[in-house]
Amino acid sequence: MRFSILVSLALACAIAQGASLPAFIENADHLRLGDAKSVDKTGFSIGHLKLTMTSGSAAPVFAGSEQVGFFFSGKGSLEYETTETAEFPVVTHNVRAVAHLKMTPEASRIVLSDDFSDLLIVAGGVQMAALTGASSAALTNPFKEHEAVFSRLWIAPRSHELAVQKFSFPAGKFVRAELSASRDRLGYEYDDYEDHDEALYTVHPPYTAIGDRRLDDRLRPGTLSIQPVGHDRSVTPPPPFALIALDYGLVADGDNVKLDVTETIARANSAENVLRFFMRDEAIVKLGAAARKFSMRRVTDEQGHELAFDHARNDLVVEIPPSPSPVLKLKFSIDGDFLVREGGDNAWQLGLGEPWFPLPRQLAGCAFTVHSVARVRKPFVPITPGTTVRRGEEGDYNVVESVIEKPVQFTMVQAGKYTMYDDKRGERTVRVATYGLPNQNAAKQLTALAFALIDYYEYFLGPFPFNEFNIIQVNAYGFGQAPPGTMFITNEAFTPIASDVDQFFSQGINERFAHEIAHQYWAYVVRMPS
């Protein structure tokens, strides 16, 4: 308790002295070591993780003048237990498949243990290990070697996670541990305020070579165990904030796009001064070619004031000015060359669940209405879900404006060389978009099938959630997908007997068609929180 009070007081002083997100990120991205001390059977524990630094040297780690952890080199041991019985089969499989830890299964727990030689802890809101031994040789070289390896781990920057704890949840606990064990590199994370879980994972290169040095050099997490913190696994914890309204304008020309996005955000607590989003920063589309970029140009508040942000490794943090209201509007200006024509098709897609605009990291934080205006250079035709406000032309651009008035968890934009067919019956419109060539016969058949299935479902499940339903041809085979008010379905639904390939994949196509329409209920009426 005394330590938590001291941390809170220190944070209040730092804010009063003008501590800012950019300065903290800069310091936390360039950690520095303090003076090394000898250690002898010194312990550190959090959650279900226990670390013992048996012998060696350790030094405090600083972001600027603030201690945010420590680094150890020597001989140590770790013990991690999972008491979450639901994950026992998964933990057993994963440890045997991708790790070399000693595993001791018991009736009510599984204990994983190993030795380690190097350890970095970065943390906030927790008591650091006491380093009170005699002065020791500097750990500069071991620390550089550790950083050279773990800087390749392609997850959120430590600085982002530390910033959320520091500026938004100063009473919360966050720990990130990076270890070089006897045969594995390991990572561990704990937080009780944002994701509300703790996880142990391996840190490994791709299991097979990809053929691009950038990707082959990256290290990835391999999950061994994830346990909830502060809640039962069957209960999804509340997210730190929710996206409740999305309003965007998109202008697309070839591979290039400009996005102006306004998001209405509802924070769980108006004291949350740094928000962390899921947001792509690059996409490697072709091996050996330059990465496609998602460039965050500006973030402003509703009054147009510039807000500090940092965007790296598919993670975005934004500094929020003090406000008594938990609800606020953020405006994002994004551009890049991230419109990808898969397989060279005359079409591209910004897909559902993909962070082509800033998304809450927790699915429970996604429940938003949508207003969109998409302008796409001719001859491509844009398609967006929801009720169509207008569709037309503006000079060299085809334009569609639409709204989704009920909260959804996903949205998308598709554009390409499409021919559109509309059929309105009563208050409902079913729209078919055929790719490449006109196909009126297929449009009539699929429209009739969609109306029949919707009528059937409404008898059992209640009103269909959308007044307009798009059926979009994807130039591939064997799958479907269900954005809100939309179905992606592949070629065999449109040309079931055109070729041997179409005939093969058309088996069960009616069932697949029905399955994707059913997802309009099981995704947008019954939503998943995690």
Side-chain angles (χ1 to χ4, degrees):
M1 178 65 73
R2 176 175 177 272
F3 180 76
S4 297
I5 293 172
L6 290 175
V7 169
S8 298
L9 289 173
L11 176 66
C13 292
I15 293 174
Q17 294 169 5
S20 67
L21 178 67
F24 181 79
I25 293 288
E26 174 65 20
N27 289 328
D29 280 340
H30 300 87
L31 298 174
R32 64 177 186 85
L33 287 178
D35 295 333
K37 305 288 185 179
S38 62
V39 296
D40 181 18
K41 296 182 180 178
T42 301
F44 177 85
S45 62
I46 184 78
H48 291 86
L49 177 70
K50 295 180 181 179
L51 301 171
T52 302
M53 294 169 282
T54 308
S55 62
S57 300
V61 173
F62 295 91
S65 59
E66 179 181 353
Q67 184 181 355
V68 294
F70 62 89
F71 177 72
F72 165 82
S73 183
K75 293 182 179 180
S77 62
L78 74 91
E79 182 179 287
Y80 172 91
E81 68 170 8
T82 172
T83 58
E84 193 65 33
T85 56
E87 74 163 2
F88 283 5
V90 179
V91 171
T92 300
H93 172 270
N94 288 357
V95 171
R96 289 173 176 169
V98 301
H100 303 86
L101 304 178
K102 179 182 178 182
M103 181 167 51
T104 306
E106 300 175 7
S108 60
R109 67 174 189 162
I110 294 176
V111 179
L112 307 179
S113 57
D114 203 352
D115 297 327
F116 64 85
S117 56
D118 290 327
L119 163 69
L120 174 65
I121 295 284
V122 292
V126 299
Q127 182 71 57
M128 302 296 180
L131 305 179
T132 58
S135 296
S136 182
L139 295 174
T140 305
N141 288 336
F143 184 64
K144 285 183 177 179
E145 292 172 3
H146 177 94
E147 289 288 80
V149 171
F150 280 88
S151 64
R152 295 159 47 203
L153 176 57
W154 217 252
I155 60 175
R158 306 172 191 135
S159 57
H160 289 194
E161 295 177 308
L162 286 167
V164 171
Q165 188 278 332
K166 175 182 175 67
F167 292 104
S168 290
F169 299 96
K173 295 180 180 179
F174 166 72
V175 172
R176 179 158 155 181
E178 300 169 355
L179 306 97
S180 295
S182 58
R183 295 179 63 186
D184 301 302
R185 297 186 182 99
L186 300 173
Y188 169 88
E189 294 206 9
Y190 177 103
D191 89 63
D192 61 3
Y193 53 85
E194 191 177 26
D195 291 330
H196 300 272
D197 63 25
E198 62 176 319
L200 181 70
Y201 52 89
T202 61
V203 175
H204 61 85
Y207 293 122
T208 58
I210 297 171
D212 187 301
R213 181 177 296 179
R214 295 164 298 180
L215 297 174
D216 289 334
D217 191 53
R218 292 179 183 177
L219 301 179
R220 295 161 169 77
T223 301
L224 299 178
S225 168
I226 300 178
Q227 298 184 77
V229 171
H231 66 98
D232 184 83
R233 183 179 292 276
S234 64
V235 178
T236 301
F241 66 91
L243 170 60
I244 60 174
L246 172 70
D247 190 333
Y248 72 87
L250 175 150
V251 180
D253 187 351
D255 297 338
N256 301 309
V257 62
K258 291 184 178 180
L259 275 167
D260 289 310
V261 179
T262 299
E263 297 189 354
T264 304
I265 300 294
R267 295 175 289 175
N269 188 324
S270 59
E272 294 176 34
N273 295 316
V274 168
L275 303 182
R276 185 155 77 101
F277 297 85
F278 189 27
M279 175 68 202
R280 291 289 295 271
D281 63 321
E282 69 168 25
I284 296 178
V285 176
K286 183 178 180 181
L287 300 182
R292 303 288 189 93
K293 295 296 184 182
F294 296 72
S295 299
M296 184 67 65
R297 298 301 184 188
R298 298 176 69 211
V299 183
T300 60
D301 64 13
E302 194 170 6
Q303 290 72 41
H305 302 134
E306 298 274 352
L307 302 181
F309 67 91
D310 192 68
H311 185 205
R313 297 195 175 187
N314 298 332
D315 208 72
L316 170 71
V317 285
V318 179
E319 186 171 30
I320 307 301
S323 169
S325 174
V327 178
L328 52 91
K329 287 188 177 182
L330 300 179
K331 298 183 179 182
F332 304 90
S333 296
I334 305 162
D335 62 36
D337 56 351
F338 52 87
L339 300 180
V340 179
R341 303 187 188 195
E342 296 289 351
D345 285 349
N346 283 315
W348 52 258
Q349 178 188 124
L350 297 177
L352 71 164
E354 286 292 316
W356 48 273
F357 61 94
L359 280 169
R361 295 176 51 260
Q362 298 79 17
L363 197 55
C366 297
F368 51 91
T369 58
V370 184
H371 171 254
S372 63
V373 180
R375 295 176 172 86
V376 179
R377 184 174 285 276
K378 299 174 181 177
F380 278 20
V381 176
I383 307 170
T384 54
T387 300
T388 302
V389 177
R390 63 186 173 103
R391 177 178 286 279
E393 302 178 12
E394 294 180 3
D396 293 333
Y397 291 85
N398 287 318
V399 183
V400 63
E401 179 179 2
S402 62
V403 295
I404 302 176
E405 296 179 337
K406 68 180 300 298
V408 294
Q409 289 183 301
F410 311 111
T411 192
M412 47 68 63
V413 187
Q414 181 89 4
K417 289 189 174 180
Y418 287 102
T419 303
M420 310 290 284
Y421 301 91
D422 286 27
D423 188 348
K424 186 173 183 179
R425 302 183 188 179
E427 296 299 316
R428 179 165 297 114
T429 297
V430 173
R431 181 177 299 108
V432 176
T434 63
Y435 173 73
L437 296 172
N439 191 340
Q440 190 170 17
N441 288 336
K444 287 182 178 180
Q445 292 173 350
L446 296 178
T447 297
L449 182 59
F451 275 117
L453 286 167
I454 290 171
D455 288 344
Y456 178 78
Y457 284 143
E458 286 193 314
Y459 180 81
F460 296 99
L461 303 176
F464 193 69
F466 302 101
N467 287 331
E468 296 189 23
F469 187 66
N470 301 316
I471 301 169
I472 304 174
Q473 182 176 0
V474 177
N475 189 27
Y477 289 94
F479 70 88
Q481 195 177 39
T486 304
M487 177 200 305
F488 294 134
I489 196 75
T490 45
N491 290 330
E492 66 275 15
F494 295 80
T495 54
I497 60 172
S499 68
D500 290 343
V501 174
D502 288 281
Q503 292 179 47
F504 175 81
F505 282 105
S506 64
Q507 299 175 56
I509 187 61
N510 286 350
E511 289 87 343
R512 198 183 324 147
F513 201 84
H515 175 101
E516 301 305 335
I517 293 179
H519 268 307
Q520 302 303 314
Y521 290 94
W522 276 277
Y524 309 110
V525 177
V526 180
R527 297 199 304 269
M528 49 281 202
S530 66

PDB file of all heavy atoms in Angstrom, residues 252-254 341 346 376-382 396-398 415-419:
ATOM      1  N   ALA A 252      -9.782   7.357 -52.811  1.00  0.00           N
ATOM      2  CA  ALA A 252      -8.881   6.322 -53.301  1.00  0.00           C
ATOM      3  C   ALA A 252      -8.529   6.570 -54.758  1.00  0.00           C
ATOM      4  O   ALA A 252      -9.402   6.870 -55.581  1.00  0.00           O
ATOM      5  CB  ALA A 252      -9.522   4.940 -53.154  1.00  0.00           C
ATOM      6  N   ASP A 253      -7.244   6.419 -55.063  1.00  0.00           N
ATOM      7  CA  ASP A 253      -6.745   6.603 -56.422  1.00  0.00           C
ATOM      8  C   ASP A 253      -5.626   5.597 -56.634  1.00  0.00           C
ATOM      9  O   ASP A 253      -4.525   5.765 -56.102  1.00  0.00           O
ATOM     10  CB  ASP A 253      -6.233   8.030 -56.611  1.00  0.00           C
ATOM     11  CG  ASP A 253      -5.846   8.324 -58.059  1.00  0.00           C
ATOM     12  OD1 ASP A 253      -5.804   7.383 -58.870  1.00  0.00           O
ATOM     13  OD2 ASP A 253      -5.575   9.502 -58.360  1.00  0.00           O
ATOM     14  N   GLY A 254      -5.910   4.535 -57.383  1.00  0.00           N
ATOM     15  CA  GLY A 254      -4.912   3.481 -57.555  1.00  0.00           C
ATOM     16  C   GLY A 254      -4.644   2.787 -56.232  1.00  0.00           C
ATOM     17  O   GLY A 254      -5.576   2.365 -55.537  1.00  0.00           O
ATOM     18  N   ARG A 341      -4.392  -4.925 -54.528  1.00  0.00           N
ATOM     19  CA  ARG A 341      -5.151  -5.740 -55.475  1.00  0.00           C
ATOM     20  C   ARG A 341      -4.624  -7.174 -55.381  1.00  0.00           C
ATOM     21  O   ARG A 341      -3.616  -7.526 -56.011  1.00  0.00           O
ATOM     22  CB  ARG A 341      -4.986  -5.206 -56.895  1.00  0.00           C
ATOM     23  CG  ARG A 341      -5.395  -3.749 -57.051  1.00  0.00           C
ATOM     24  CD  ARG A 341      -5.365  -3.342 -58.506  1.00  0.00           C
ATOM     25  NE  ARG A 341      -5.568  -1.911 -58.686  1.00  0.00           N
ATOM     26  CZ  ARG A 341      -5.860  -1.339 -59.841  1.00  0.00           C
ATOM     27  NH1 ARG A 341      -5.966  -2.080 -60.936  1.00  0.00           N
ATOM     28  NH2 ARG A 341      -6.025  -0.029 -59.917  1.00  0.00           N
ATOM     29  N   ASN A 346      -8.706  -6.502 -60.376  1.00  0.00           N
ATOM     30  CA  ASN A 346      -9.192  -5.129 -60.470  1.00  0.00           C
ATOM     31  C   ASN A 346     -10.159  -4.869 -59.312  1.00  0.00           C
ATOM     32  O   ASN A 346     -11.336  -4.524 -59.506  1.00  0.00           O
ATOM     33  CB  ASN A 346      -9.875  -4.890 -61.814  1.00  0.00           C
ATOM     34  CG  ASN A 346      -8.866  -4.725 -62.939  1.00  0.00           C
ATOM     35  OD1 ASN A 346      -7.878  -4.016 -62.793  1.00  0.00           O
ATOM     36  ND2 ASN A 346      -9.106  -5.403 -64.042  1.00  0.00           N
ATOM     37  N   VAL A 376     -13.888   6.899 -55.050  1.00  0.00           N
ATOM     38  CA  VAL A 376     -12.919   5.998 -55.668  1.00  0.00           C
ATOM     39  C   VAL A 376     -12.808   6.360 -57.146  1.00  0.00           C
ATOM     40  O   VAL A 376     -13.824   6.490 -57.844  1.00  0.00           O
ATOM     41  CB  VAL A 376     -13.352   4.526 -55.501  1.00  0.00           C
ATOM     42  CG1 VAL A 376     -12.357   3.600 -56.176  1.00  0.00           C
ATOM     43  CG2 VAL A 376     -13.486   4.179 -54.015  1.00  0.00           C
ATOM     44  N   ARG A 377     -11.571   6.507 -57.608  1.00  0.00           N
ATOM     45  CA  ARG A 377     -11.371   6.900 -59.007  1.00  0.00           C
ATOM     46  C   ARG A 377     -11.962   5.849 -59.947  1.00  0.00           C
ATOM     47  O   ARG A 377     -11.798   4.648 -59.760  1.00  0.00           O
ATOM     48  CB  ARG A 377      -9.878   7.102 -59.299  1.00  0.00           C
ATOM     49  CG  ARG A 377      -9.605   7.607 -60.725  1.00  0.00           C
ATOM     50  CD  ARG A 377      -8.140   7.943 -60.944  1.00  0.00           C
ATOM     51  NE  ARG A 377      -7.773   9.193 -60.296  1.00  0.00           N
ATOM     52  CZ  ARG A 377      -7.946  10.404 -60.836  1.00  0.00           C
ATOM     53  NH1 ARG A 377      -8.513  10.510 -62.034  1.00  0.00           N
ATOM     54  NH2 ARG A 377      -7.573  11.479 -60.188  1.00  0.00           N
ATOM     55  N   LYS A 378     -12.656   6.342 -60.973  1.00  0.00           N
ATOM     56  CA  LYS A 378     -13.242   5.476 -61.991  1.00  0.00           C
ATOM     57  C   LYS A 378     -12.142   4.688 -62.700  1.00  0.00           C
ATOM     58  O   LYS A 378     -11.008   5.147 -62.783  1.00  0.00           O
ATOM     59  CB  LYS A 378     -14.017   6.321 -63.011  1.00  0.00           C
ATOM     60  CG  LYS A 378     -15.180   7.122 -62.417  1.00  0.00           C
ATOM     61  CD  LYS A 378     -15.785   8.039 -63.480  1.00  0.00           C
ATOM     62  CE  LYS A 378     -16.912   8.870 -62.914  1.00  0.00           C
ATOM     63  NZ  LYS A 378     -17.466   9.827 -63.921  1.00  0.00           N
ATOM     64  N   PRO A 379     -12.437   3.470 -63.173  1.00  0.00           N
ATOM     65  CA  PRO A 379     -13.758   2.839 -63.279  1.00  0.00           C
ATOM     66  C   PRO A 379     -14.165   2.028 -62.050  1.00  0.00           C
ATOM     67  O   PRO A 379     -15.196   1.374 -62.076  1.00  0.00           O
ATOM     68  CB  PRO A 379     -13.587   1.927 -64.495  1.00  0.00           C
ATOM     69  CG  PRO A 379     -12.155   1.479 -64.403  1.00  0.00           C
ATOM     70  CD  PRO A 379     -11.400   2.680 -63.880  1.00  0.00           C
ATOM     71  N   PHE A 380     -13.348   2.040 -60.978  1.00  0.00           N
ATOM     72  CA  PHE A 380     -13.711   1.261 -59.805  1.00  0.00           C
ATOM     73  C   PHE A 380     -14.998   1.809 -59.183  1.00  0.00           C
ATOM     74  O   PHE A 380     -15.243   3.017 -59.185  1.00  0.00           O
ATOM     75  CB  PHE A 380     -12.591   1.283 -58.772  1.00  0.00           C
ATOM     76  CG  PHE A 380     -11.487   0.281 -59.057  1.00  0.00           C
ATOM     77  CD1 PHE A 380     -11.300  -0.254 -60.312  1.00  0.00           C
ATOM     78  CD2 PHE A 380     -10.634  -0.119 -58.043  1.00  0.00           C
ATOM     79  CE1 PHE A 380     -10.298  -1.163 -60.572  1.00  0.00           C
ATOM     80  CE2 PHE A 380      -9.623  -1.032 -58.273  1.00  0.00           C
ATOM     81  CZ  PHE A 380      -9.455  -1.561 -59.538  1.00  0.00           C
ATOM     82  N   VAL A 381     -15.786   0.887 -58.629  1.00  0.00           N
ATOM     83  CA  VAL A 381     -17.050   1.211 -57.970  1.00  0.00           C
ATOM     84  C   VAL A 381     -16.901   0.892 -56.488  1.00  0.00           C
ATOM     85  O   VAL A 381     -16.549  -0.237 -56.135  1.00  0.00           O
ATOM     86  CB  VAL A 381     -18.205   0.389 -58.566  1.00  0.00           C
ATOM     87  CG1 VAL A 381     -19.504   0.651 -57.807  1.00  0.00           C
ATOM     88  CG2 VAL A 381     -18.371   0.712 -60.043  1.00  0.00           C
ATOM     89  N   PRO A 382     -17.150   1.854 -55.596  1.00  0.00           N
ATOM     90  CA  PRO A 382     -17.038   1.579 -54.156  1.00  0.00           C
ATOM     91  C   PRO A 382     -18.304   0.944 -53.599  1.00  0.00           C
ATOM     92  O   PRO A 382     -19.419   1.233 -54.059  1.00  0.00           O
ATOM     93  CB  PRO A 382     -16.818   2.966 -53.559  1.00  0.00           C
ATOM     94  CG  PRO A 382     -17.555   3.886 -54.489  1.00  0.00           C
ATOM     95  CD  PRO A 382     -17.439   3.270 -55.868  1.00  0.00           C
ATOM     96  N   ASP A 396     -14.020  12.603 -61.732  1.00  0.00           N
ATOM     97  CA  ASP A 396     -13.336  11.347 -62.036  1.00  0.00           C
ATOM     98  C   ASP A 396     -13.607  10.259 -61.010  1.00  0.00           C
ATOM     99  O   ASP A 396     -12.984   9.191 -61.065  1.00  0.00           O
ATOM    100  CB  ASP A 396     -11.822  11.588 -62.112  1.00  0.00           C
ATOM    101  CG  ASP A 396     -11.435  12.454 -63.294  1.00  0.00           C
ATOM    102  OD1 ASP A 396     -12.178  12.451 -64.292  1.00  0.00           O
ATOM    103  OD2 ASP A 396     -10.384  13.143 -63.224  1.00  0.00           O
ATOM    104  N   TYR A 397     -14.513  10.508 -60.067  1.00  0.00           N
ATOM    105  CA  TYR A 397     -14.702   9.576 -58.957  1.00  0.00           C
ATOM    106  C   TYR A 397     -16.124   9.046 -58.911  1.00  0.00           C
ATOM    107  O   TYR A 397     -17.093   9.781 -59.144  1.00  0.00           O
ATOM    108  CB  TYR A 397     -14.374  10.260 -57.623  1.00  0.00           C
ATOM    109  CG  TYR A 397     -12.897  10.556 -57.465  1.00  0.00           C
ATOM    110  CD1 TYR A 397     -12.350  11.721 -57.986  1.00  0.00           C
ATOM    111  CD2 TYR A 397     -12.056   9.655 -56.813  1.00  0.00           C
ATOM    112  CE1 TYR A 397     -10.999  11.992 -57.860  1.00  0.00           C
ATOM    113  CE2 TYR A 397     -10.709   9.923 -56.677  1.00  0.00           C
ATOM    114  CZ  TYR A 397     -10.177  11.079 -57.209  1.00  0.00           C
ATOM    115  OH  TYR A 397      -8.844  11.339 -57.091  1.00  0.00           O
ATOM    116  N   ASN A 398     -16.244   7.752 -58.591  1.00  0.00           N
ATOM    117  CA  ASN A 398     -17.507   7.162 -58.178  1.00  0.00           C
ATOM    118  C   ASN A 398     -17.630   7.315 -56.669  1.00  0.00           C
ATOM    119  O   ASN A 398     -16.646   7.134 -55.934  1.00  0.00           O
ATOM    120  CB  ASN A 398     -17.584   5.692 -58.569  1.00  0.00           C
ATOM    121  CG  ASN A 398     -17.785   5.504 -60.065  1.00  0.00           C
ATOM    122  OD1 ASN A 398     -18.566   6.225 -60.693  1.00  0.00           O
ATOM    123  ND2 ASN A 398     -17.087   4.544 -60.658  1.00  0.00           N
ATOM    124  N   ALA A 415     -13.883  -2.051 -53.320  1.00  0.00           N
ATOM    125  CA  ALA A 415     -14.000  -1.308 -54.578  1.00  0.00           C
ATOM    126  C   ALA A 415     -13.357  -2.110 -55.693  1.00  0.00           C
ATOM    127  O   ALA A 415     -12.388  -2.847 -55.471  1.00  0.00           O
ATOM    128  CB  ALA A 415     -13.347   0.069 -54.467  1.00  0.00           C
ATOM    129  N   GLY A 416     -13.908  -1.960 -56.892  1.00  0.00           N
ATOM    130  CA  GLY A 416     -13.352  -2.686 -58.024  1.00  0.00           C
ATOM    131  C   GLY A 416     -14.223  -2.516 -59.253  1.00  0.00           C
ATOM    132  O   GLY A 416     -15.146  -1.692 -59.292  1.00  0.00           O
ATOM    133  N   LYS A 417     -13.934  -3.315 -60.265  1.00  0.00           N
ATOM    134  CA  LYS A 417     -14.719  -3.298 -61.492  1.00  0.00           C
ATOM    135  C   LYS A 417     -15.949  -4.186 -61.289  1.00  0.00           C
ATOM    136  O   LYS A 417     -15.934  -5.381 -61.597  1.00  0.00           O
ATOM    137  CB  LYS A 417     -13.878  -3.759 -62.676  1.00  0.00           C
ATOM    138  CG  LYS A 417     -12.819  -2.735 -63.082  1.00  0.00           C
ATOM    139  CD  LYS A 417     -12.142  -3.102 -64.389  1.00  0.00           C
ATOM    140  CE  LYS A 417     -11.186  -2.001 -64.845  1.00  0.00           C
ATOM    141  NZ  LYS A 417     -10.512  -2.321 -66.114  1.00  0.00           N
ATOM    142  N   TYR A 418     -16.992  -3.570 -60.748  1.00  0.00           N
ATOM    143  CA  TYR A 418     -18.211  -4.287 -60.407  1.00  0.00           C
ATOM    144  C   TYR A 418     -19.396  -3.745 -61.207  1.00  0.00           C
ATOM    145  O   TYR A 418     -19.461  -2.555 -61.523  1.00  0.00           O
ATOM    146  CB  TYR A 418     -18.533  -4.137 -58.914  1.00  0.00           C
ATOM    147  CG  TYR A 418     -17.610  -4.951 -58.026  1.00  0.00           C
ATOM    148  CD1 TYR A 418     -16.573  -4.339 -57.336  1.00  0.00           C
ATOM    149  CD2 TYR A 418     -17.781  -6.318 -57.892  1.00  0.00           C
ATOM    150  CE1 TYR A 418     -15.733  -5.081 -56.527  1.00  0.00           C
ATOM    151  CE2 TYR A 418     -16.939  -7.071 -57.094  1.00  0.00           C
ATOM    152  CZ  TYR A 418     -15.917  -6.446 -56.410  1.00  0.00           C
ATOM    153  OH  TYR A 418     -15.080  -7.184 -55.633  1.00  0.00           O
ATOM    154  N   THR A 419     -20.303  -4.659 -61.521  1.00  0.00           N
ATOM    155  CA  THR A 419     -21.604  -4.291 -62.058  1.00  0.00           C
ATOM    156  C   THR A 419     -22.626  -4.512 -60.953  1.00  0.00           C
ATOM    157  O   THR A 419     -22.666  -5.587 -60.343  1.00  0.00           O
ATOM    158  CB  THR A 419     -21.960  -5.135 -63.287  1.00  0.00           C
ATOM    159  OG1 THR A 419     -20.933  -4.980 -64.278  1.00  0.00           O
ATOM    160  CG2 THR A 419     -23.296  -4.706 -63.869  1.00  0.00           C
TER     161      THR A 419
END
